[in-house]
Amino acid sequence: MAGPLVLQVGDCTVACSYALPHQRGDALLQSRLRSIFGDETLVCNEGLDGEATEDFLKRYDRTMARYPEIDLIIVRYGVNDRKRYGIGPFEAKLIELCDLFERDYPQANIMLETGIYVDYPAHYAFDRNSKLEPVYRMISKLAQQRGYTVVDIFERMKRETQQGNWDLRARGFGSVDEDFPVLGPALDHIHGHDVRWFTNIHPNIQGIQTIVDEEISVITQTWPTGLRAIA
């Protein structure tokens, strides 16, 4: 029998296509899980840049056909959903997605995640947190109502920032250059005077590692004897 399979679905903060494969969240999470639960644990990443929940619903059938069995499904949407259609429609689409997962993978556990916190006003041009926090609170409430586990990335990154570890996001005036991504402080001495240089929602390597660390903390507390116990 194959080892436990963990599936990640979500937006650009899940895909992390600007990072090298071994730096992405799925690779780091798999390495950490294998060190805890065994070398057969597999993490698959179906995140896509720019994706909202409605986009995944459209590709649900062809995507999920690749996965006959899943032990844990991790879902992280919200940033693009808020911009497109707001919290109410996002909640409805997230419920629709979770209903599909429950129907097609009744033995799998579902874990909902909140998203990125930004260091405003020191390292972000506008108060994005005030716009995203209500989205994340809805996600947490929905998870509680449905009996799902929550990974509160927003609160973890907020705590890290308040403790002085603010450097958790990529650089680049609001987007990541796919050919030459700036994931750390190497050019801060040139652009650091301009807060727009830091106005980027994508996690950098340290941010990805922080997210994975929070995921591991929640997973090991929830299933201390192994992921297969949920099947």
Side-chain angles (χ1 to χ4, degrees), residues 43-123:
V43 178
C44 296
N45 187 341
E46 288 289 350
L48 282 181
D49 294 337
E51 186 165 80
T53 311
E54 66 175 1
D55 301 318
F56 187 80
L57 287 168
K58 292 175 183 177
R59 67 180 178 98
Y60 178 90
D61 289 338
R62 68 177 184 275
T63 299
M64 301 310 294
R66 296 194 281 268
Y67 304 100
E69 295 183 5
I70 305 173
D71 295 284
L72 176 61
I73 302 171
I74 303 176
V75 182
R76 191 193 313 156
Y77 285 110
V79 174
N80 298 309
D81 296 86
R82 185 199 67 81
K83 289 191 296 184
R84 288 193 200 177
Y85 36 69
I87 296 178
F90 171 41
E91 182 177 18
K93 294 177 191 302
L94 186 56
I95 289 172
E96 181 182 354
L97 178 58
C98 291
D99 286 344
L100 290 173
F101 284 142
E102 290 189 7
R103 181 197 70 186
D104 296 336
Y105 302 93
Q107 300 303 314
N109 200 54
I110 298 171
M111 191 160 74
L112 302 186
E113 297 188 329
T114 65
I116 307 301
Y117 173 88
V118 302
D119 184 23
Y120 172 83
H123 298 100

Side-chain angles (χ1 to χ4, degrees), residues 137-152:
R137 299 287 71 83
M138 180 276 290
I139 292 171
S140 297
K141 182 178 179 181
L142 179 63
Q144 182 179 26
Q145 292 172 342
R146 297 182 69 116
Y148 300 158
T149 303
V150 178
V151 178
D152 201 338

Side-chain angles (χ1 to χ4, degrees), residues 112-118 129-130 132-138 140 150-163 165 168 210-211 214 218:
L112 302 186
E113 297 188 329
T114 65
I116 307 301
Y117 173 88
V118 302
N129 296 321
S130 64
L132 290 175
E133 188 169 11
V135 178
Y136 300 150
R137 299 287 71 83
M138 180 276 290
S140 297
V150 178
V151 178
D152 201 338
I153 294 167
F154 180 82
E155 287 298 327
R156 172 61 186 269
M157 294 183 76
K158 181 179 180 179
R159 291 197 305 271
E160 293 288 334
T161 301
Q162 291 173 341
Q163 293 167 7
N165 182 25
L168 301 172
T210 299
I211 290 169
E214 188 66 16
V218 173

Side-chain angles (χ1 to χ4, degrees), residues 158-178:
K158 181 179 180 179
R159 291 197 305 271
E160 293 288 334
T161 301
Q162 291 173 341
Q163 293 167 7
N165 182 25
W166 62 267
D167 190 359
L168 301 172
R169 291 174 292 105
R171 310 297 199 268
F173 299 105
S175 63
V176 175
D177 187 318
E178 294 182 358

